[in-house]
């Protein structure tokens, strides 16, 4: 069986992590080996980078260029250490974010030069590209409500991205839509603003032809 790379994208609170967990339980029932990973992170080096980019030390702020490079340093490590070996074994790799997040957040959100963002991505991923990208689409207002609820519920710390403001997230969301439109064969847009079970069903329907 050939390996399959499925990436999950969307703004904060879109429900990626929950749906990945559900899919990771479902796939072995149809005989597929599953590897779940996240970005930034997914390897010991990547997880250390995640901590720095989400919670910079003291009151330091990471510059947009440094953010781009750190995201892609984590990605380069993940591709080499985890994604390629898993695909070579025929696994289904479920990745919570991948390079579309750099295009959406660093390109559209931070408004870095897109060619520069693409260069960093190319260096990190080489020819390792997703077979399918699921964009869990929710309105900005739903994202804001879910993030506030999560902070209250878990006392989770605000991170560098939470502090970027509504205009930033509007650009990120519009950016994801632009990316999905540009590559309709790779992207599936999933309505993330419905019951968890309905989202799961929609995702399951979308991946059938790839299995
Ligand atoms: P999350 O995966 O828990 O949502 O946190 C990751 C944060 O990092 C999120 O705000 C999106 C951001 N991010 C980027 O800005 N660029 C990237 O390339 C990736 C993978 C994530």
């Amino acid at each position: 069986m050939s390996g399959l790379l499925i990436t999950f994208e969307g703004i904060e609170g879109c429900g990626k992590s929950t749906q990945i967990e559900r899919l990771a339980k479902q796939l072995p029932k149809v005989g597929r080996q599953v590897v779940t990973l996240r970005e930034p992170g997914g390897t010991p080096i990547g997880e250390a980078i995640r901590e720095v980019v989400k919670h910079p030390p003291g009151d330091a702020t990471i510059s947009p260029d440094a953010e781009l490079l750190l995201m892609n340093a984590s990605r380069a490590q993940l591709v080499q250490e985890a994604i390629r070996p898993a695909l070579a074994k025929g696994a289904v790799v479920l990745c919570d974010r991948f390079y579309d997040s750099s295009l959406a957040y660093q390109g559209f959100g931070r408004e870095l030069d897109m060619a520069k963002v693409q260069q960093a991505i190319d260096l990190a991923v080489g020819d390792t590209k997703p077979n399918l990208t699921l964009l869990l689409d929710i309105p900005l207002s739903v994202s804001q409500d879910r993030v506030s609820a999560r902070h209250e519920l878990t006392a989770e710390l605000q991170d560098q991205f939470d502090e970027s403001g509504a205009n930033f997230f509007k650009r990120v969301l519009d950016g994801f839509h632009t990316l999905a439109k540009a590559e309709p064969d790779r992207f599936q847009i999933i309505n993330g603003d419905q019951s968890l079970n309905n989202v799961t069903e929609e995702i399951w329907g979308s991946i059938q032809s790839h299995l």
Side-chain angles (χ1 to χ4, degrees):
M1 227 175 285
S2 54
L4 194 62
L5 175 57
I6 304 178
T7 59
F8 290 72
E9 300 283 359
I11 55 174
E12 273 61 11
C14 68
K16 294 176 281 93
S17 315
T18 308
Q19 294 300 332
I20 288 173
E21 252 175 56
R22 287 177 165 215
L23 195 53
K25 285 194 186 131
Q26 214 44 43
L27 283 166
K29 294 182 189 160
V30 296
R32 295 301 305 244
Q33 188 194 345
V34 183
V35 172
T36 61
L37 298 167
R38 71 170 176 182
E39 278 203 343
T43 64
I45 288 173
E47 290 296 323
I49 293 173
R50 180 183 178 90
E51 187 52 34
V52 174
V53 290
K54 288 193 65 138
H55 304 292
D59 52 11
T61 310
I62 296 183
S63 78
D65 282 338
E67 188 178 78
L68 171 68
L69 292 170
L70 285 167
M71 294 294 179
N72 282 285
S74 167
R75 180 165 300 133
Q77 190 71 28
L78 188 74
V79 167
Q80 294 268 345
E81 190 177 317
I83 296 181
R84 284 188 191 146
L87 293 176
K89 284 188 197 145
V92 178
V93 177
L94 305 177
C95 199
D96 191 335
R97 300 192 181 283
F98 200 46
Y99 59 69
D100 295 297
S101 279
S102 285
L103 293 165
Y105 284 80
Q106 281 66 55
F108 288 97
R110 304 271 189 238
E111 299 181 304
L112 291 182
D113 173 39
M114 276 295 176
K116 194 159 79 174
V117 176
Q118 191 61 56
Q119 250 183 332
I121 291 171
D122 289 345
L123 185 62
V125 305
D127 60 1
T128 302
K129 306 274 161 73
N131 299 94
L132 173 67
T133 298
L134 299 170
L135 173 58
L136 271 65
D137 196 27
I138 54 169
L140 217 47
S141 57
V142 172
S143 166
Q144 284 159 344
D145 290 348
R146 287 184 184 174
V147 170
S148 311
R150 193 159 68 191
H151 286 319
E152 272 171 34
L153 208 68
T154 63
E156 188 183 76
L157 288 174
Q158 293 259 114
D159 65 31
Q160 155 139 324
F161 292 93
D162 296 330
E163 289 160 8
S164 296
N167 287 340
F168 170 79
F169 285 107
K170 165 104 177 56
R171 289 196 299 275
V172 172
L173 181 58
D174 291 346
F176 274 130
H177 290 153
T178 302
L179 295 171
K181 260 196 213 127
E183 283 187 77
D185 291 342
R186 173 166 69 88
F187 271 93
Q188 284 280 332
I189 300 183
I190 306 288
N191 175 12
D193 188 16
Q194 52 179 339
S195 76
L196 284 181
N197 286 345
N198 285 358
V199 178
T200 306
E201 255 179 53
E202 229 185 287
I203 290 176
W204 192 245
S206 294
I207 66 168
Q208 288 313 306
S209 63
H210 294 265
L211 290 177

